[in-house]
Amino acid sequence: AEATEAIGADPWERSSERTTHRNGSRPKVLSTKAGDLALSIPKLRKGSFFPGLLEPRRRIDQALYAVVMEAYVNGVSTRSVDDLVAAMGVDTGISKSEVSRICAGLDERVEAFRGRTLGHTEFPYMYLDATYIHVRDDALGQVVSRAVVIATGITAEGGREILGVDIGDSEDETFWTRFLRSLKDRGLSGVNRPGFDGGSGYWFPTPAGSACW
């Protein structure tokens, strides 16, 4: 139907709206959670055509993308991701470069979320929490413990929103201060009562006496 709309006529139809003719098709393999699908993409004598359902230069559908991203987030190695994809019926497998490209897209989405502006509403209440996780440090070539801090904002209506996430060597005062100032720089305002988990040992003053707000 899309090809017919792009051409302006059905196959073998005589029409004054026709702009070109079909010229066979080209094969394309789309890898999905249900396995590989063999597709035929119509070719045109003049111009080009690509179905809106698919994306150029992408052979993996969004559902399988999500599987690869989740495996990456959970620390699954590239080789194990390939084995996982093959077990799902994708005979063509997935290359290390393709996994890296998929995960680079995930990194971009995470950075966009972390850097978004916060001036769309006020958050009278903000809760700060921290935990420690083990991550692989490529520079050191080993797994190390890192502090992850999270700021959750609560609106006057009771709605909750993750305001920011950051990771550092430890949750010392310098790290916390830099994190809070980054929230302000992104437009956070109206905080009347910040709350803390008490684990860090640091207490930041309320907005009336704070340099951060």
Side-chain angles (χ1 to χ4, degrees):
E2 283 189 64
T4 296
E5 183 178 351
I7 294 171
D10 288 317
W12 306 291
E13 178 188 2
R14 295 181 181 273
S15 172
S16 59
E17 298 180 357
R18 179 186 290 275
T19 58
T20 184
H21 292 78
R22 289 171 172 78
N23 189 28
S25 62
R26 57 187 174 88
K28 179 179 178 63
V29 175
L30 178 66
S31 299
T32 73
K33 292 175 68 176
D36 286 339
L37 299 179
L39 307 177
S40 294
I41 309 298
K43 296 170 62 178
L44 308 181
R45 289 185 184 178
K46 291 191 302 182
S48 61
F49 169 75
F50 199 82
L53 181 64
L54 308 176
E55 294 186 41
R57 298 178 296 280
R58 174 176 289 185
R59 70 176 187 86
I60 298 178
D61 76 342
Q62 290 291 346
L64 190 56
Y65 254 59
V67 172
V68 173
M69 288 182 175
E70 184 173 356
Y72 169 74
V73 169
N74 285 284
V76 178
S77 67
T78 303
R79 177 174 303 222
S80 296
V81 169
D82 188 28
D83 293 339
L84 172 63
V85 169
M88 296 175 67
V90 180
D91 298 330
T92 53
I94 186 168
S95 66
K96 180 178 179 180
S97 61
E98 195 156 16
V99 172
S100 298
R101 182 170 59 84
I102 292 173
C103 296
L106 177 61
D107 291 341
E108 291 175 1
R109 292 166 62 181
V110 170
E111 286 306 309
F113 174 79
R114 292 181 59 203
R116 73 193 191 285
T117 59
L118 300 174
H120 57 286
T121 187
E122 290 191 346
F123 296 91
Y125 303 94
M126 180 175 66
Y127 184 74
L128 303 172
D129 199 0
T131 187
Y132 280 83
I133 61 173
H134 289 92
V135 300
R136 176 170 294 279
D137 189 314
D138 293 333
L140 298 177
Q142 62 186 26
V143 176
V144 296
S145 178
R146 291 287 187 264
V148 177
V149 296
I150 302 173
T152 303
I154 304 176
T155 66
E157 295 76 25
R160 291 174 177 263
E161 184 175 332
I162 299 297
L163 304 178
V165 181
D166 204 356
I167 185 169
D169 294 335
S170 64
E171 49 171 328
D172 58 17
E173 185 174 1
T174 301
F175 178 47
W176 273 113
T177 301
R178 185 177 70 247
F179 175 59
L180 291 171
R181 284 177 175 161
S182 72
L183 298 180
K184 181 187 176 185
D185 292 340
R186 288 165 50 207
L188 179 64
S189 64
V191 178
N192 295 320
R193 188 179 297 277
F196 298 82
D197 67 349
S200 65
Y202 296 105
W203 179 265
F204 294 85
T206 57
S210 173
C212 293
W213 311 106

